[in-house]
Amino acid sequence: MAAGLLAGTLLAAATATMALPPEHEIQRLILAVEESVEKERWGEAAEYLNRLQSLEGQKPPQYLYYRGRVMAQSEHYNEAMSALENYIAGTGADGQYYTEALKLITDIEQARARQGGRSNDGSGGEPVAEIRPANGDSPERLQRLYLVDSDRKALIRHMNTLLDLAGWRRDPKVIREGSSPDLHYQVSVPNGEIHFRETRTDDNGNRSLTTHALPVYGVSPVIEWSCENATESCWIYDPRDGSRFLRLGIDRDRAEEISTTLGRLIRLLQQPEGGS
């Protein structure tokens, strides 16, 4: 009953404030998240964060910090770590919650260790991708892994390997041998832009191809991501406006790896030599 009343209250509040311009609605929801976290109303804080995520527009740095806190409280440790690391990368030591974020990262590492190195992220016990080097391995190791002669080629090859494993399916429980996912991406980098070739299969088995271009100059290499059990999907968000960009199968480890690899590729392409 209490949960139903809370949901109804939040829905009414959302309806009442729809007229606010996005920049003011973002600030209002940030204040609501802060208050909910201070009072340890974690479910309420998560609801406000979900609404913030769906809004287009620049979100303040503390959004990532509070996202990390709420995800950690829910034991979604991969998403919590990603949010906190992105907060620190974006604000540096001058960030308002720099010290708190560092301490929370340590707490998460200790919690992971107590769980035997695996988080309670609801991934259903799916096996981790066989290739997982991009988070911390050197560019030289990636080149050796993929037998290529540049960092750029290695990151593109690694990104495509991960995307091959991360295709979205309407029914992820039915994966026939040799079958293709209903939504699949591949990456190429012509003329300094990242192109995502999207292959979409409809209910009748018809395929359509679309290419989405992501210019790298002027965009942040900090890539946000999230996963939703309700839709059995993970999302990579567009660094230009925070909107949903790539829809993946629900595997949090893999989504985190893809977001990290994409961020590394953007950062590399933003360098004068472009990693060529």
Side-chain angles (χ1 to χ4, degrees), residues 131-151 153-159 257 261 264:
I131 301 174
R132 295 181 47 81
N135 273 335
D137 281 357
S138 67
E140 292 77 13
R141 188 180 186 281
L142 281 176
Q143 289 185 36
R144 292 196 301 270
L145 179 66
Y146 291 105
L147 302 176
V148 293
D149 58 3
S150 73
D151 297 348
K153 291 178 182 177
L155 285 172
I156 293 171
R157 189 74 63 83
H158 186 62
M159 186 77 175
E257 183 80 6
T261 305
R264 290 183 65 181

Side-chain angles (χ1 to χ4, degrees), residues 166-186:
W168 178 79
R169 300 172 189 268
R170 291 181 181 84
D171 187 353
K173 300 179 182 63
V174 180
I175 303 178
R176 297 179 179 87
E177 184 176 355
S179 65
S180 300
D182 298 302
L183 192 56
H184 173 259
Y185 304 94
Q186 283 284 276

Side-chain angles (χ1 to χ4, degrees), residues 27 38-39 43 51-52 74 81 88 110 113 122 149 172 174 177 183 213 254 260:
Q27 186 58 39
E38 288 174 2
K39 295 180 179 179
R51 285 162 58 186
L52 271 166
S74 303
M81 287 286 279
I88 291 171
Q110 293 172 350
D149 58 3
V174 180
E177 184 176 355
L183 192 56
R254 203 167 288 159
T260 300

